[in-house]
Amino acid sequence: MQDVATEAAKRRTFAIISHPDAGKTTLTEKLLYYGGAIQMAGTVKGRKSKVHATSDWMAMEQERGISVTSSVMQFPYSGRLLNLLDTPGHGDFSEDTYRTLTAVDSALMVIDVAKGVEERTVQLMNVCRMRATPITTFINKLDREGREPMELLDEVESVLQIRCTPATWPLGMGGSFRGVYHFGLDRVRLFADSEVIEGIDNPRLDELFPHEVDEWREQIELVGEACEPFDREAYLAGALTPVYFGSAVNDFGIRELLDDFVEHAPPPRSRDAGREVSAEEGAFTGFVFKIQANMDPQHRDRLAFLRVCSGRFEPGMKLHQVRTGKAVKIPRATTFLASDRSHTETAAPGDIIGIHNRGTISIGDTFSEGEALHFTGIPDFAPELFRRVVLRDPMRMKALQKGLEQLCEEGATQLFRPLLGSDWIVGAVGSLQFDVTAYRLRHEYGVECTFEGVQVYTARWVGCDDPKMLERFRERNEAALAYDGTGALAYLAPNRANLELVQERWPDIAFTATRDR
Ligand code: G4P
């Protein structure tokens, strides 16, 4: 391996964000294909069983003899090494999805041309905005009738609060989709046969599309005048997104997207850990953003996903776990190279490694070579779904408590204990989290429990610089307050109106939707 700075400069660590069905999986497939990770184009997973995506990927690995895991996919492209972090969607949508976004340096946003900006995209963009993550936009399914491109750009700008600059422009749409025009290269690629035509004024276009070309030229001129040019600084600051058009399933418009993406997207960036840690530093640092439990009762270990921030990881390394103050020897870590099984297990900044452990590692843990650093910005996110825990056997109370506390620490679920009464409430951002929690409580802690609905709309962590004020707030709102798994105070709002009202009444109390660990 070359020196750390050179290796870091090659990495592009990113995630794809989208609403379900916009085409994230299809685009992932094509990106892997371009990276040489999949030798054949085509479907890599059964779409009808999205919840079982992981096993589908494993089946694919076996079939094709290549190593692909759905969590992290590393593949080379154009002299760079891309790390694509999967953001669980559909039923397996969870807090992991949000937290994965804290471990990337940029994101690709996929939007369905007919549907525009959808709810999940708004939620994911809110998370990206917390760290001013640079966003590249791909508007998908141009082979179908959809909305006017200009209207979509307006919607992205107003709903997602990010300026748009089209990098490509579609020539027609649906049945009359003919290709895309690349502004920077002044080049057209045709949909029918991928023919490349240099220059929008090229007579070849008049020859092929005598009835359409004038309108395209006019449109492109208008768009070129109306939209601001690409500004990399603004892109890197998360203030502006370049927009590409295409059709993932037809593998169209993706080359343009990917070629620009590897040029513009940032390499591993500096991160705050009490001090700024630069990716070029020689000493190893990293943080854990996700923990995956093995559902197989025979193998009760957990895989901690660690994002390398600086230095390099070598198998056998002894790392310092800052929270516990312990030295942990890591004999081997899982690395994720999609194209090659016989890779070395060294990792550089931007890479993700998986560390096996038996519950000793928590989300948010920082690892270093000894320095007492703590990476910030790997928060808990206010749950969007809440259930009351109903224990079948009251004798198992202690085991339940232990189980819930541990699952909470792992980030599998969140636990709230109201100040009044003896209820326990679990919170999640995706409903599958409840099933996983119930399953693991049964199998790992021997606790049978069910969950029932509860009148909670959302949670906000509360705080105030003035302890007296906080005490007053607490006294007046006891019925709606709870301690979370770490003992932090949270307000459980029964509905949106109530939350707004209480925020209005208590202007000095801070209500936050995330809480740093
Ligand atoms: P997701 O991961 O974001 O949920 O979306 P996914 O890629 O699974 O795509 C959702 C559906 O949209 C799939 O159809 C997929 O084939 C289709 N799709 C993706 N890209 C395009 C495109 O460019 N044009 C058109 N017309 N469709 C596209 P499906 O019916 O759910 O699955 P399948 O039976 O086609 O595999």
Side-chain angles (χ1 to χ4, degrees), residues 39 84 103 165 193 202 297 351 419 423:
Q39 305 308 326
L84 171 52
T165 182
D193 55 3
N202 195 317
D351 288 346
L419 267 47
D423 277 346

Side-chain angles (χ1 to χ4, degrees), residues 139-210:
I139 297 189
N140 191 26
K141 308 195 185 181
L142 266 290
D143 58 314
R144 285 201 189 150
E145 288 304 330
R147 291 169 43 193
E148 280 303 317
M150 212 52 191
E151 188 190 312
L152 283 174
L153 300 194
D154 282 345
E155 184 171 283
V156 170
E157 294 206 336
S158 62
V159 178
L160 301 177
Q161 293 159 46
I162 187 164
R163 277 142 54 208
C164 289
T165 182
T168 65
W169 196 256
L171 307 178
M173 188 188 285
S176 54
F177 182 48
R178 306 287 182 234
V180 291
Y181 170 73
H182 191 290
F183 282 96
L185 301 172
D186 185 22
R187 174 188 286 171
V188 170
R189 189 187 294 274
L190 299 185
F191 183 54
D193 55 3
S194 256
E195 179 183 343
V196 169
I197 297 173
E198 300 295 342
I200 189 69
D201 292 325
N202 195 317
R204 172 93 179 126
L205 286 171
D206 300 82
E207 198 182 295
L208 290 170
F209 309 104

Side-chain angles (χ1 to χ4, degrees), residues 13 72 85 96 98-105 131 268-275 277 279 283-291 303-311 313 319-323 330 336 348-355 361-369 373-379 381 516-517:
T13 302
V72 182
L85 276 54
D96 279 347
Y98 287 158
R99 237 165 348 229
T100 295
L101 295 176
T102 68
V104 300
D105 299 300
R131 299 186 60 247
R269 312 173 99 184
S270 297
R271 277 177 186 259
D272 183 28
R275 66 172 181 86
V277 174
F284 177 92
T285 65
F287 64 84
V288 174
F289 62 93
K290 169 173 163 172
I291 290 183
L303 193 62
F305 287 74
L306 180 144
R307 146 98 196 203
V308 181
C309 295
S310 68
F313 172 81
L319 295 179
H320 175 70
Q321 186 177 9
V322 177
R323 178 176 55 87
I330 317 241
F336 307 91
D351 288 346
I352 309 302
I353 56 175
I355 302 174
I361 298 178
S362 297
I363 284 178
D365 273 1
T366 294
F367 283 84
S368 71
E369 288 189 26
L373 295 165
H374 176 66
F375 284 101
T376 57
I378 310 115
F381 293 85
D516 237 24
R517 287 186 165 232

Side-chain angles (χ1 to χ4, degrees), residues 26-208:
T26 312
L27 181 63
T28 301
E29 226 163 77
K30 304 300 175 193
L31 293 179
L32 289 176
Y33 175 66
Y34 278 99
I38 293 176
Q39 305 308 326
M40 290 174 263
T43 306
V44 297
K45 74 177 184 66
R47 291 183 196 286
K48 300 295 171 241
S49 54
K50 304 217 185 215
V51 175
H52 305 295
T54 313
S55 52
D56 290 339
W57 281 97
M58 279 157 58
M60 183 185 75
E61 279 189 43
Q62 285 166 2
E63 262 169 40
R64 307 234 168 121
I66 53 169
S67 166
V68 180
T69 91
S70 61
S71 298
V72 182
M73 293 152 268
Q74 187 180 65
F75 56 96
Y77 186 77
S78 187
R80 307 272 154 68
L81 210 45
L82 278 66
N83 288 312
L84 171 52
L85 276 54
D86 186 44
T87 46
H90 292 271
D92 49 355
F93 180 69
S94 73
E95 226 184 323
D96 279 347
T97 311
Y98 287 158
R99 237 165 348 229
T100 295
L101 295 176
T102 68
V104 300
D105 299 300
S106 66
L108 275 182
M109 172 166 75
V110 183
I111 289 176
D112 182 322
V113 68
K115 295 185 178 151
V117 177
E118 294 175 89
E119 186 199 346
R120 186 65 58 77
T121 313
V122 175
Q123 293 169 326
L124 296 169
M125 269 296 284
N126 285 341
V127 178
C128 288
R129 213 173 288 113
M130 288 169 53
R131 299 186 60 247
T133 304
I135 306 289
T136 302
T137 303
F138 183 71
I139 297 189
N140 191 26
K141 308 195 185 181
L142 266 290
D143 58 314
R144 285 201 189 150
E145 288 304 330
R147 291 169 43 193
E148 280 303 317
M150 212 52 191
E151 188 190 312
L152 283 174
L153 300 194
D154 282 345
E155 184 171 283
V156 170
E157 294 206 336
S158 62
V159 178
L160 301 177
Q161 293 159 46
I162 187 164
R163 277 142 54 208
C164 289
T165 182
T168 65
W169 196 256
L171 307 178
M173 188 188 285
S176 54
F177 182 48
R178 306 287 182 234
V180 291
Y181 170 73
H182 191 290
F183 282 96
L185 301 172
D186 185 22
R187 174 188 286 171
V188 170
R189 189 187 294 274
L190 299 185
F191 183 54
D193 55 3
S194 256
E195 179 183 343
V196 169
I197 297 173
E198 300 295 342
I200 189 69
D201 292 325
N202 195 317
R204 172 93 179 126
L205 286 171
D206 300 82
E207 198 182 295
L208 290 170

Side-chain angles (χ1 to χ4, degrees), residues 196-261:
V196 169
I197 297 173
E198 300 295 342
I200 189 69
D201 292 325
N202 195 317
R204 172 93 179 126
L205 286 171
D206 300 82
E207 198 182 295
L208 290 170
F209 309 104
H211 306 298
E212 292 149 283
V213 70
D214 288 340
E215 197 191 323
W216 298 340
R217 286 183 180 135
E218 199 176 311
Q219 239 185 36
I220 282 164
E221 196 182 331
L222 276 176
V223 172
E225 281 167 10
C227 299
E228 66 174 309
F230 178 68
D231 170 353
R232 183 151 187 257
E233 288 310 309
Y235 159 73
L236 291 178
L240 174 144
T241 177
V243 182
Y244 296 80
F245 293 84
S247 169
V249 80
N250 290 294
D251 188 7
F252 191 79
I254 296 173
R255 174 75 72 181
E256 285 75 8
L257 169 78
L258 192 54
D259 282 346
D260 286 355
F261 178 76

